[in-house]
Amino acid sequence: MDSHNQKQPAPTNSVNAEIQGCLYAKTPPGITVGVLTSPTEVSPLSLLAAGIVGLAERCARRGRKQ
Amino acid sequence: MQKNFITIVSGLPRSGTSLMMQMLQAGGMELLTDGRRSPDENNPRGYFELEAVKHGRNDLSWLAQADGKAVKVIHLLLTNLPTDRKYRVVFMNRDLQEVIKSQRAMLKQQGQASAALADSALAGVFEKQLATVRHWLAEQSDFSVLYVNHREVIDHPFMAAEQINAVLGGDLSVNNMAAVVAPLLYRQRNPAPAK
Amino acid sequence: MPQAPGKKILLIGWDAADWEVIDPLLQAGQMPALAQMIKGGLRGNLATLQPVLSPMLWTSIATGKRAEKHGIYGFTEPLPDASGIGPVRSTSRKCKAVWNILSQSGLKSNIIGWFASSPAEPINGVMISDQFLHRPIQNDSAGEILTNAVHPRALAKPAADLRVSTESLVAGDLLPFIPKLAEIDLKQDDRPLKLARRLARTATVQAMATALIQSEPWNLMGVYFDGIDQFAHEFMPYHPPRMDSVPERDFELYQDVMRGCYRFHDMMLHTLLQYVDEETTVMLISDHGYESGRRRPPLNQGKEDPEGCHRPFGIVCLKGPNIKKDDRLYGASILDVTPTILTLLGLPVGSDMDGRPWLEAFEKPVKPERIFSWEGVGDEAAGLHTEHTRQDPAEAAAAIEQLVALGYIAPPSEDARKTVQDTIRYNKTNLIRSLLGTPQEAKAIPLLEELLTEKQDNEWCLLTLARCQIRQGKLPEARSVLEKSAPAMQQEGQVQLVFAELAFAEEKPADALKYLQAAERSGGSHPALFNQIGRAYLVLKRWDEAGSAFQKSLEIEPDNPAALDGLARVHLENGEPDLAVEKSLQAVGLIHYFPEAHYHLGLGLERLDKASEAILAYETALNMGYRKNLLHSHLAKLYRPINPQKAARHQKLLINSQRPRIYRADINSKFPAPESSAPKIQA
């Protein structure tokens, strides 16, 4: 089991895009839990659902913010 | 001469651990006991226990005075002992039916209820406990173990005493150890199997 | 991706998933992954077992056996040294699980998060146990990772690295569940934090599943998610429609949580399905349902009685090669999952398993092999714990208590001792409940008597003992128990119900009806009560009143199989066989093991001149051991025009069953001397 899997996130096929569209939500102002960097990115929840591949991308995003 | 190991006498309760403690004392080994439990009908010559040992991991302060001495630790509490020092274990084995009979008799004498389990179920649990302990001991490099059969001690005390003395350093009086064995104490004994 | 040779099964468990929540989401197109699975496969209800407690149920799922055979009786059990209690352990399980059977058959299993799977068994494959997932991340250092909770141990560190911490979640993770998150003062309201914790744990399971599914070869991938159940116990009260006990503001804030939870699970399902091909059979199940409508307990009452929130039917969805498409599965039980997995993998089903493989799910007929039992065969390769570590925790605790009584071990604190004793008592009660209504019910009697020895006025035990005695035919004993203890009992309604059962058994239906009406007057309104009232009216041939009673039952619980079967019987008596067939089909569609309902179905079909379907229904009832004479008679009649040989066989079986038997003792005993009259042997 490799915790730093080199695979790309799951391909954004039409079903996946539909799922993201349904669940994407903009961050209201004043939230201190965290921020979304761009509305065009795959939603964080989709990355959680994507499992190990998604975790790698979330890690990479945190790295880009720092 | 101060020994650099702790002698542990272990086994199921009523497997002959008190008898072994007496033998070691007679042979010249110092015991670590507090005499808190007085002799009674179940152990007319005493229990040779140390109360602190019964608390397992919650009280290991007694270890500081244990080098070169013998202390009684029942089988289940062996795995609580820290593995940062040397131990030589004399582990008493006795027929499980005799052990259970003796335990139930002791509880009855004390006016207490014994486990609401059939003898066979209780024996099954004790077998698993003993197997777990044996398995653990086999993996511990700091524990040297001599398994001693209770019946052999009663039937052949001199031979048993010689074996034990050899493991514990060789400076015990074997004659005095053997002289402790008194068949009258062996009250809950099953008949020896026919040869 | 490394592959294991042979067939593959992906088994996904969604604890507490319920079609009543899923179906509206499917209709709205909000669970597309599940919708595709249903379209290409089968769906059905999955009947649970009593008591509805997840560790017992998920172990029944993994073994194909009821609790009495598998040995897991609750969430907790005494610790090995009886110093307290801890989560139930895999060493307490008394029989093999499906992963053990696969191990000894040379097949690989990857199992994640299954209930009662810690310490991890040394199976052929990977086991990430439930306790590994439950351990808080912040307490871990490299040395403290629970290495005995993962097999092989080398995977413990990589698995630990995959755990998703609550602190790593961002606003975007929570907003789909709580769109008005910004309006909540997180210092005053900890519900968003509770949601975040549950989400983190669910995401951890998904991370481990997606890692293992591609990196470790497998024939069976078993992934257990407790997310829906955990979310539901906290947030189902806020699901629409708003309950009176829920403040409007709270409803406004949290009404989207459960929908979000199910949709997130669908997203995870979609991900997992990307990693399997068309040759893999995918099985999605839940152990029980969860009340989501007007039968939900009020806010806060649900937390005090979590079992009261559960519904008796979970979900099953099955898709794969040789599985029927766009079809329904009827009469499935959680006991059937392991037998079905074994059949799918070409392995024999143990005759000691309590479930059945879903043969009707296969497109091409499959004839499963059977063996007497998997127990005691090939144990050395089954990946079991060593013999000496596996033991009954209640027996182990009793032995420790004996050593404490002897004065060789310091006693635990009084609190710890009481907790251990309470846990043993609670688990014994669960075992009793699991035996009721099963062929092994007689085993509950000595257990009830043990509990009564500890507490003579335990009302539940007294009433349950009387019920068991009634069903075992020990009517005088039951009457003695009831008459002695009834005057002091608080639960008047329950007492009346049991007296009614006794009256039924004594063939006094009018007396039974009086007791049942008294129970209704004292405030009873449970489906079981109305079913019993209906039963009394049936025996008294008061068909309309019987129908009303069963209808009342269905108004409370539309999926009540006994009420449906009762109505079928009423329709038969009223000369309405088509309606009888409709109701019977509904009943057996919910519970397969319901011989009476199969019989009524057969009667209805016979009266509609549908002979071959009637034969199938009667044979199903016959195989369940129901009223053999009656069934042989019907089958002989129906087979006569179409298969005279089978008709003759049933006729012969009917005649044989009516003959007085010659007992072996009579044959072997010596006859008296010739001058005495010899006993006659009847032909």
Side-chain angles (χ1 to χ4, degrees):
Chain A
M1 194 192 310
D2 184 357
S3 58
H4 301 290
N5 198 293
Q6 297 302 310
K7 276 195 181 180
Q8 294 301 310
T12 313
N13 58 31
S14 61
V15 175
N16 227 359
E18 184 191 322
I19 289 168
Q20 293 163 37
C22 284
L23 287 180
Y24 177 79
K26 269 195 171 165
T27 316
I31 293 286
T32 57
V33 179
V35 291
L36 292 170
T37 54
S38 160
T40 59
E41 282 187 338
V42 171
S43 78
L45 195 64
S46 295
L47 291 179
L48 267 189
I52 186 173
V53 165
L55 290 189
E57 173 60 18
R58 286 167 69 99
C59 204
R61 280 192 189 181
R62 280 198 292 274
R64 286 196 292 271
K65 278 186 218 144
Q66 280 159 11
Chain B
M1 183 180 69
Q2 177 78 354
K3 296 185 200 301
N4 62 352
F5 58 85
I6 302 171
T7 299
I8 304 281
V9 173
S10 189
L12 276 165
R14 314 306 293 160
S15 60
T17 49
S18 297
L19 175 66
M20 183 50 57
M21 290 291 278
Q22 291 171 63
M23 289 175 70
L24 293 178
Q25 187 181 52
M29 185 172 287
E30 193 180 341
L31 305 184
L32 195 59
T33 67
D34 55 18
R36 207 186 286 189
R37 189 147 53 155
S38 313
D40 60 23
E41 190 186 290
N42 296 293
N43 270 329
R45 295 188 196 172
Y47 285 85
F48 301 94
E49 293 168 334
L50 183 69
E51 188 63 26
V53 170
K54 298 177 188 178
H55 295 270
R57 265 191 207 101
N58 294 330
D59 185 356
L60 295 172
S61 57
W62 55 273
L63 282 164
Q65 300 116 51
D67 266 346
K69 298 177 192 154
V71 61
K72 193 201 282 193
V73 179
I74 71 153
H75 67 303
L76 277 182
L77 297 178
L78 279 177
T79 56
N80 291 332
L81 294 173
T83 52
D84 58 353
R85 57 202 75 199
K86 300 284 184 203
Y87 305 90
R88 295 192 193 177
V89 180
V90 178
F91 198 104
M92 301 301 298
N93 284 328
R94 187 178 181 185
D95 174 74
L96 275 181
Q97 294 308 317
E98 288 182 11
V99 165
I100 290 169
K101 214 194 284 190
S102 177
Q103 288 187 7
R104 295 212 197 269
M106 180 170 166
L107 287 167
K108 191 173 170 191
Q109 193 267 328
Q110 290 172 349
Q112 295 200 69
S114 52
L117 286 179
D119 281 3
S120 55
L122 195 51
V125 175
F126 285 153
E127 268 168 6
K128 288 188 193 240
Q129 288 176 350
L130 289 172
T132 301
V133 169
R134 271 188 230 116
H135 188 79
W136 183 84
L137 284 170
E139 290 179 341
Q140 307 308 316
S141 54
D142 296 315
F143 285 71
S144 300
V145 187
L146 176 70
Y147 291 98
V148 175
N149 188 283
H150 180 265
R151 188 187 294 279
E152 287 298 312
V153 172
I154 299 300
D155 291 346
H156 307 285
F158 289 100
M159 206 175 339
E162 277 181 338
Q163 266 186 323
I164 293 160
N165 182 40
V167 165
L168 295 182
D171 54 359
L172 296 172
S173 165
V174 172
N175 282 343
N176 287 353
M177 286 173 71
V180 166
V181 174
L184 282 176
L185 272 181
Y186 192 28
R187 289 178 299 284
Q188 280 91 21
R189 182 179 174 170
N190 286 348
K195 291 205 170 92
Chain C
M1 209 185 317
Q3 297 275 349
K7 296 173 187 167
K8 296 173 75 161
I9 298 175
L10 171 59
L11 172 67
I12 302 170
W14 286 357
D15 199 305
D18 195 311
W19 289 123
E20 285 192 349
V21 180
I22 292 173
D23 281 331
L25 291 171
L26 287 171
Q27 278 154 28
Q30 292 177 348
M31 291 187 75
L34 181 54
Q36 275 192 319
M37 228 183 114
I38 291 169
K39 197 167 162 206
L42 291 177
R43 65 170 273 176
N45 289 321
L46 199 59
T48 193
L49 299 171
Q50 294 292 335
V52 187
L53 297 173
S54 286
M56 298 174 74
L57 302 176
W58 287 101
T59 307
S60 283
I61 287 169
T63 59
K65 294 177 178 173
R66 294 180 189 273
E68 186 251 333
K69 290 181 185 168
H70 66 55
I72 302 296
Y73 305 138
F75 283 92
T76 54
E77 60 184 31
L79 292 172
D81 62 3
S83 61
I85 60 170
V88 68
R89 292 183 297 278
S90 56
T91 44
S92 304
R93 204 181 68 235
K94 297 196 291 193
C95 68
K96 287 176 182 166
V98 64
W99 47 79
N100 301 120
I101 297 173
L102 263 59
S103 289
Q104 71 185 79
S105 306
L107 299 175
K108 284 191 174 287
S109 306
N110 293 341
I111 308 294
I112 302 170
W114 215 266
F115 253 114
S117 60
S118 188
E121 288 168 272
I123 61 170
N124 182 13
V126 177
M127 173 74 71
I128 297 183
S129 70
D130 54 341
Q131 292 311 304
F132 187 81
L133 294 168
H134 292 174
R135 188 177 173 82
I137 293 180
Q138 58 268 28
N139 289 343
D140 272 343
S141 61
E144 284 179 35
I145 290 171
L146 291 173
T147 47
N148 66 348
V150 175
H151 169 81
R153 286 190 175 189
L155 290 183
K157 178 77 174 59
D161 289 343
L162 287 176
R163 290 194 290 182
V164 176
S165 68
T166 309
E167 293 71 31
S168 72
L169 299 184
V170 296
D173 298 319
L174 302 189
L175 285 166
F177 302 92
I178 312 174
K180 298 189 179 181
L181 181 65
E183 298 173 26
I184 298 172
D185 181 353
L186 298 177
K187 292 195 187 76
Q188 299 291 328
D189 186 348
D190 66 351
R191 283 170 291 188
L193 180 59
K194 285 181 177 173
L195 189 154
R197 282 200 195 109
R198 284 151 173 79
L199 182 60
R201 190 152 106 191
T202 304
T204 297
V205 174
Q206 178 73 348
M208 293 187 185
T210 49
L212 283 180
I213 203 168
Q214 52 180 323
S215 64
E216 299 290 328
W218 53 276
N219 296 99
L220 170 68
M221 183 91 196
V223 189
Y224 167 72
F225 293 93
D226 70 353
I228 293 176
D229 186 71
Q230 290 293 311
F231 270 76
H233 279 295
E234 192 63 41
F235 295 103
M236 190 60 85
Y238 309 107
H239 188 64
R242 185 177 77 84
M243 294 196 292
D244 290 341
S245 57
V246 173
E248 281 191 30
R249 178 59 177 154
D250 286 359
F251 175 74
E252 199 188 325
L253 289 172
Y254 296 110
Q255 62 176 304
D256 296 303
V257 172
M258 287 313 301
R259 271 194 293 256
C261 172
Y262 272 88
R263 293 176 71 187
F264 180 64
H265 278 73
D266 191 71
M267 290 163 72
M268 292 193 293
L269 174 63
H270 171 80
T271 299
L272 287 173
L273 293 176
Q274 307 307 300
Y275 290 106
V276 300
D277 59 23
E278 295 295 313
E279 293 309 301
T280 302
T281 301
V282 183
M283 204 188 283
L284 174 66
I285 58 172
S286 69
D287 56 337
H288 56 75
Y290 202 100
E291 295 289 0
S292 56
R294 60 187 172 83
R295 291 195 302 272
R296 283 175 286 180
L299 186 64
N300 295 326
Q301 192 178 319
K303 287 198 184 171
E304 287 157 26
D305 176 25
E307 202 189 334
C309 302
H310 295 160
R311 280 202 334 118
F313 293 102
I315 70 167
V316 56
C317 184
L318 197 56
K319 180 172 184 272
N322 200 26
I323 299 293
K324 288 179 181 167
K325 292 177 182 21
D326 200 15
D327 206 338
R328 289 256 169 179
L329 186 62
Y330 292 102
S333 152
I334 60 170
L335 290 167
D336 305 333
V337 175
T338 282
T340 302
I341 289 173
L342 294 175
T343 302
L344 282 163
L345 293 172
L347 294 171
V349 177
S351 295
D352 58 347
M353 290 183 179
D354 297 310
R356 63 175 184 97
W358 298 320
L359 301 180
E360 66 273 31
F362 294 94
E363 268 182 339
K364 291 186 208 127
V366 167
K367 192 171 164 60
E369 283 180 55
R370 293 245 168 211
I371 56 169
F372 178 68
S373 173
W374 283 97
E375 305 306 320
V377 171
D379 287 3
E380 61 289 344
L384 294 163
H385 290 303
T386 50
E387 177 64 34
H388 65 83
T389 57
R390 284 185 280 141
Q391 58 185 316
D392 182 321
E395 287 185 353
I400 299 274
E401 180 131 337
Q402 174 148 312
L403 299 180
V404 169
L406 286 164
Y408 289 91
I409 303 180
S413 68
E414 192 48 43
D415 279 347
R417 197 177 163 277
K418 183 173 183 307
T419 304
V420 167
Q421 291 308 316
D422 286 348
T423 300
I424 291 175
R425 202 173 301 118
Y426 175 69
N427 287 356
K428 193 179 282 186
T429 306
N430 291 338
L431 172 56
I432 291 167
R433 291 176 63 195
S434 75
L435 289 166
L436 301 178
T438 74
Q440 306 301 320
E441 190 176 68
K443 293 184 182 178
I445 293 178
L447 295 169
L448 286 160
E449 286 166 350
E450 277 173 25
L451 286 176
L452 284 166
T453 310
E454 293 173 33
K455 192 169 185 286
Q456 287 178 355
D457 59 353
N458 183 324
E459 285 192 18
W460 180 83
C461 279
L462 286 163
L463 291 174
T464 308
L465 176 62
R467 282 199 159 106
C468 286
Q469 287 167 331
I470 292 166
R471 290 198 280 257
Q472 298 301 313
K474 298 180 179 177
L475 303 185
E477 290 93 327
R479 183 160 284 284
S480 167
V481 165
L482 282 172
E483 284 176 353
K484 204 164 126 193
S485 52
M489 285 200 193
Q490 311 270 346
Q491 303 175 57
E492 198 188 319
Q494 287 295 317
V495 173
Q496 302 293 352
L497 272 180
V498 185
F499 268 116
E501 278 185 52
L502 182 58
F504 273 124
E506 291 171 338
E507 295 182 9
K508 298 173 183 168
D511 286 353
L513 187 58
K514 282 192 194 132
Y515 286 120
L516 292 168
Q517 285 164 339
E520 190 180 1
R521 280 193 300 273
S522 69
S525 65
H526 195 271
L529 171 61
F530 294 119
N531 288 344
Q532 291 287 65
I533 292 173
R535 180 182 164 198
Y537 281 126
L538 282 175
V539 176
L540 293 166
K541 301 189 195 316
R542 288 155 67 170
W543 313 123
D544 288 345
E545 285 151 302
S548 298
F550 290 123
Q551 285 291 5
K552 272 192 198 169
S553 175
L554 288 171
E555 276 161 27
I556 301 169
E557 201 175 290
D559 284 344
N560 189 294
L564 289 164
D565 177 60
L567 273 182
R569 172 84 196 274
V570 169
H571 287 308
L572 284 169
E573 296 300 338
N574 285 340
E576 296 160 335
D578 47 344
L579 292 172
V581 166
E582 183 192 311
K583 293 286 178 258
S584 298
L585 279 174
Q586 280 181 268
V588 302
L590 288 164
I591 300 270
H592 177 72
Y593 197 88
F594 196 171
E596 209 163 3
H598 287 283
Y599 170 63
H600 294 140
L601 176 61
L603 278 178
L605 289 165
E606 188 176 354
R607 288 177 197 179
L608 291 171
D609 292 323
K610 295 186 176 178
S612 49
E613 287 119 308
I615 284 172
L616 193 57
Y618 284 142
E619 284 188 337
T620 305
L622 184 65
N623 288 337
M624 291 175 181
Y626 184 73
R627 296 176 78 182
K628 291 184 178 176
N629 290 356
L630 189 59
L631 288 165
H632 284 311
S633 168
H634 279 279
L635 284 164
K637 181 180 159 204
L638 285 175
Y639 269 124
R640 211 159 280 131
I642 54 176
N643 191 327
Q645 238 178 342
K646 279 195 174 170
R649 189 172 75 86
H650 282 288
Q651 189 65 31
K652 189 175 174 191
L653 285 165
L654 174 62
I655 292 169
N656 284 346
S657 70
Q658 287 167 341
R659 275 188 194 158
R661 291 185 173 275
I662 299 171
Y663 290 98
R664 290 189 63 80
D666 290 333
I667 294 168
N668 290 335
S669 59
K670 288 193 174 120
F671 288 104
E675 50 269 28
S676 312
S677 55
K680 289 187 173 43
I681 297 173
Q682 293 183 344

